[in-house]
Amino acid sequence: MKVENMILRRITRVQKSNVIFYSTKQAQKGKLYSNTIFLPKTRFPQRLENHKLVERDESIHSAADFENLYTWQRSHLSEPEFVLHDGPPYANGQAHMGHAINKILKDAILRCHIIKGNKVHFIPGWDCHGLPIELKAISDNKDLDPIKIRKKARQFAEKTIKDQMQAFKSWGVMGDWKNSYQTFNKDYVKTQFRIFHKLYEKNLVYRDIKPIHWSPSSRTALAEAELEYNENHKSPSAYVRFQISHFPKIANVDGKRLYAIIWTTTPWTLPANNAVCYNENLSYIIVKKTNSSDSSLYIIAADLLSNISAVLNSNFEVVQEIKGAMLAGARYIHPIYSNQECTFVNSSHAVANKGTGLVHSAGSHGPEDFLVSLNYKLPLVDLVDDTGCYNSHAGDNLKGKFVLTEGNKEVQAMLKENLLHLGEITHSYPYDWRTKEPVIIKASQQWFIDTDALRNRAIESLESVAIIPNDRSDIYRRNLVSQIQKRPYWCISRQRKWGVPIPVLYDEHSEKIIDEHTINHHCNLLRTYGPDFWWILSEKELLPDKLHSCYNSDTLTRSQDIMDIWFDSGISWARVLEGSKIADVYLEGADQFNGWFQSSLLTSVAMRDKAPYKTIYVHGFAVDENGVKMSKSLGNVVNPSDIIKGNKKQKPYGIDVLRWWVTCHANQDSLANVSHTTLKSCAEELNKIRNVLRFALGSLSDYEVSEDDYKNLLLIDKYMLHLLHKFHMQTSEYLESYQFHRISTAVLNLLTNSVSALYYTSIKDRLYCDAVGSTARKAAQYTLYNVFEIITQTVAPMVPHLVEEMYQYYNLKDNKTYFTSTHIKPQSDWENRDLDEIMNVILNCKKEVNKTLGSNTADKDLKMAVCAKVFKSLQDFGAIKDIEQQVAHIIQVGSVTISKEDFTDDHNKLFSLEISDSSRFCCPRCRKVQSDKDDELCKRCFEVVNSSNFTENKTAVSN
Ligand SMILES: [Zn+2]
């Protein structure tokens, strides 16, 4: 094949893909000139699909050196440093969509700051301890000793961390991976020991017996954050009477039996009953059943009479009304153990909106009950063991029975006729988040953080914290504050093996041994033996030499508790944020208001008296295409790796489609659907970006940036820069609150409407047909250069692979990779509001012309009469004759003449149009209807083709 033919074939193909307006008249000599046209020239592929996309991702990862970007920016970029503190994912299971959303959003934010030239601080981490991993470690052998359990658990967590880290890196997520923090590492545990000790010294950590949420199924205490509430839990609903044995202030009972009625949904707590609470401010009534052989008297709250009548299916007559205060000093016979007598006590938590207004209290089994016991110095009765069964103190009938099942039943039987009514209630009840089994509240010796003492400071410190998204900010803040307000203490001890030991020894009187010497000693042992030292060494070895003379090491015991994993991860700021540094952003899902956002706040306030973050950013959750939460059992799980690399059923989308989906769809605190329809449209959107920027890339292949070109911009170039300026201001504002979904919409709008449809169409004639090096062509290239720069820096944080790929084909680059290059900012004088008015008129004219003629407008001449104001503005942009030609290119007609007119009939009128057939002919080279004779070159094309430069340029095109 002849070389010339090859050139023609190629040019024809490219012309089709870059359709501009052509005359309908076929120019006979067209083919002759087709190789004199300067079409965009780039080898950057128009489309990448399937395995090529996967190969591209992998090759970009190494070509753009994503692995070392973090280290590079630490030494090359300037202050202010931007600190994003990574919330540690749990080292359990493979990388899933939740991780993808979290890590990709973090990466996009970091890359935004890198593009702005600011160094970033991001040390990824993992949460490595806790029950799920421990359960996996003991799954095949329940009798393992602590060292073996810990070894298996560690191996499991290490493997998971390795796999997850590889996945996160493969998504293009940059960070200080080499120094990542892991809560089981020596350094981390050391930090935790020191913090525990400091808080102990400040009296913010203490040990006490308290009712806590206890999971019989995993035999450990649970924090509020580890509970899941089951809305459909069924409990017994029991009305029980307590016989009053002594009632010093109540008269007129006439020797009749008097009972208090209480209501409970936990009959199993009745054996531990140690008081009945009344409210001195409530009104109570003494009632008697009518039409019944039962002559007993009952006390209930006056307001609840009709409710209780209905439940007990009895009619009552009121014998006497009494004030709550009259129950002071009254005593009753214990409903299970009749040899015991207990007292009535006043408490404001006895209210008259449900139940009976009299409340059964068992100090071991409820937070309010516990406070009542504290106030009245009532002894706590502990009748339930760690497995949730009654212990021997509960008596032979109950001993060994699981409280929630057989225990409840046995108690009901033991109540006999004192059980007035037994029903069932469906209500919200706490479950263990891991085992999905119900929990109970029981008294236990545990370690606590005194959140009561931290409450006010924690709430105050939140005042300066921003919460994103803005529209939910107030709700989130209120919820967080109310949770902190409701939290009197935080139980931080757990009775398991896979965690950080609570570094405390006890002497023979159970007195705690913890001070600076013991902590220093434990930190040294930690360095030598690793965190297992607590289980490896003897008590004697755990005690520093200095203290050996003070204690008999044979009588010492070590703490059998480990720390709550929320305390582990809650102190991550201390390991990662050096000195008094505060993170700019903590970014996680909304569930972390119950977890990490809260635990980090409390520990940071306790240690440093300030919040660890300036901004909390809340992202969305991935759900399937029907909006249903993904779960293995439903089989609706979509894995990030399947989206990226494809599987048997579906072709690969590549990493950037996943990243685009995350940044566009999951960056707000809502549910994000992972459906193929959405992913497909994400892929199409990226192709749109690819193709629009590809045109700019190709058009810049023979360009060198010169600020002189800025002086020669035409009207449409200036307008393009004006729009770019506006776009940049708008997207920068969106970026302040990380509204990537708004940014992506703005990008697509700009590219589709302003860049592709308007700007490219208007400049194609200049680019293709003007002489290379002509000022008008260079002005368009200067503008395209800015379009490319501004758009790429907007999308690069979201789709770095695509942008790095383009950058490899960009001849104006200043470095090997995009993210290590410097990036321009729009100049303030790009903004020119007069252009909005003028272009509004021109674009309305274009609309009118297209309305009348469709798209066949090239062989028409246009007479445009404009009002004086618009005419004057046009003149400010250049000589009217030049402007006329420029407007002809924008409107895509043969020629335009512009005149000034006073619209006397309508002073608000801006323009009027007259369209006529052109008397000129189609130029066989540029195909504009601007030749004086048929089948002859127009003046411009004649000059270009016959210029001395041409031979040179022709070579450029055909290369
Ligand atoms: Zn021409």
Side-chain angles (χ1 to χ4, degrees), residues 765 769 923-928 930-931 937-942:
D765 177 69
C769 302
C923 165
R925 179 169 175 265
C926 68
R927 302 194 181 178
K928 292 273 166 198
Q930 48 193 11
S931 294
L937 291 175
C938 70
K939 189 163 164 277
R940 183 264 319 263
C941 289
F942 181 83

Side-chain angles (χ1 to χ4, degrees), residues 54-210:
V54 179
E55 281 167 19
R56 188 279 309 259
D57 287 343
E58 280 162 10
S59 80
I60 286 298
H61 193 90
S62 55
D65 203 9
F66 281 178
E67 190 77 30
N68 291 310
L69 178 58
Y70 187 82
T71 323
W72 177 88
Q73 60 87 28
R74 291 299 297 170
S75 54
H76 286 77
L77 299 186
S78 56
E79 305 284 343
E81 183 188 48
F82 174 81
V83 184
L84 202 168
H85 180 36
D86 190 32
Y90 197 53
N92 182 20
Q94 62 177 132
H96 53 66
M97 285 306 286
H99 296 130
I101 291 174
N102 184 277
K103 288 292 187 285
I104 289 172
L105 277 174
K106 285 173 180 167
D107 187 66
I109 290 172
L110 294 171
R111 285 174 187 269
C112 288
H113 287 275
I114 289 180
I115 287 175
K116 280 201 275 182
N118 295 120
K119 73 163 75 169
V120 300
H121 181 290
F122 180 66
I123 299 176
W126 275 272
D127 195 1
C128 312
H129 291 130
L131 194 60
I133 295 176
E134 184 170 334
L135 290 178
K136 275 192 180 150
I138 57 173
S139 59
D140 45 356
N141 188 352
K142 298 236 179 329
D143 299 323
L144 290 177
D145 68 41
I147 306 287
K148 283 185 184 148
I149 293 174
R150 290 178 57 84
K151 189 178 169 201
K152 285 188 84 173
R154 187 177 307 109
Q155 285 169 343
F156 177 81
E158 278 168 351
K159 165 86 172 65
T160 311
I161 290 170
K162 201 175 147 218
D163 294 347
Q164 288 189 358
M165 190 189 292
Q166 201 179 4
F168 299 166
K169 282 185 187 177
S170 79
W171 302 337
V173 178
M174 50 154 277
D176 196 355
W177 297 106
K178 285 188 195 112
N179 293 311
S180 67
Y181 73 92
Q182 289 146 19
T183 59
F184 61 13
N185 278 351
K186 286 182 192 175
D187 281 351
Y188 197 95
V189 174
K190 199 172 111 187
T191 309
Q192 201 162 333
F193 278 0
R194 300 252 179 240
I195 288 185
F196 179 84
H197 175 234
K198 282 220 176 83
L199 295 180
Y200 179 78
E201 283 197 320
K202 289 179 165 195
N203 284 328
L204 290 169
V205 156
Y206 61 93
R207 190 172 194 237
D208 202 357
I209 193 167
K210 275 197 180 158

Side-chain angles (χ1 to χ4, degrees), residues 12 25 162 164 197-198 260 327 465 489 502 520 529 600 641 659 720 729 754 786 811 843 846 866 887 920:
T12 315
K25 287 184 191 172
K162 201 175 147 218
Q164 288 189 358
H197 175 234
K198 282 220 176 83
L327 283 162
V465 174
Y489 43 80
I502 289 191
N520 285 342
Y529 299 95
S600 303
S641 62
R659 290 184 63 112
M720 189 66 245
M729 299 307 284
S754 308
N786 285 299
N811 78 323
L843 295 177
K846 184 175 162 70
V866 296
V887 173
R920 295 179 174 213

Side-chain angles (χ1 to χ4, degrees), residues 381-394:
V381 192
D382 190 8
L383 302 178
V384 180
D385 70 14
D386 290 355
T387 64
C389 297
Y390 288 108
N391 60 27
S392 56
H393 299 295

Side-chain angles (χ1 to χ4, degrees), residues 201-329:
E201 283 197 320
K202 289 179 165 195
N203 284 328
L204 290 169
V205 156
Y206 61 93
R207 190 172 194 237
D208 202 357
I209 193 167
K210 275 197 180 158
I212 38 109
H213 282 113
W214 182 270
S215 170
S217 51
S218 45
R219 298 192 191 178
T220 184
L222 292 180
E224 187 66 34
E226 294 165 313
L227 303 175
E228 273 178 5
Y229 282 83
N230 177 354
E231 301 296 325
N232 298 313
H233 181 83
K234 288 189 168 54
S235 293
S237 166
Y239 285 78
V240 181
R241 65 182 193 187
F242 287 34
Q243 189 183 347
I244 304 181
S245 51
H246 182 70
F247 34 96
K249 297 188 179 171
I250 305 171
N252 306 329
V253 177
D254 300 334
K256 292 204 172 87
R257 285 191 173 188
L258 179 60
Y259 294 91
I261 303 180
I262 65 95
W263 172 64
T264 180
T265 59
T266 52
W268 64 268
T269 61
L270 287 170
N273 171 275
N274 62 354
V276 166
C277 302
Y278 62 88
N279 187 332
E280 61 186 10
N281 299 318
L282 285 184
S283 290
Y284 292 86
I285 44 177
I286 297 176
V287 296
K288 186 174 152 271
K289 285 186 185 169
T290 52
N291 307 324
S292 164
S293 58
D294 180 4
S295 62
S296 307
L297 300 176
Y298 297 94
I299 301 183
I300 52 172
D303 290 348
L304 289 160
L305 174 62
S306 58
N307 290 19
I308 295 167
S309 299
V311 174
L312 300 183
N313 197 20
S314 303
N315 290 321
F316 290 105
E317 73 176 82
V318 179
V319 177
Q320 188 183 345
E321 188 160 348
I322 58 170
K323 284 275 159 231
M326 290 172 75
L327 283 162

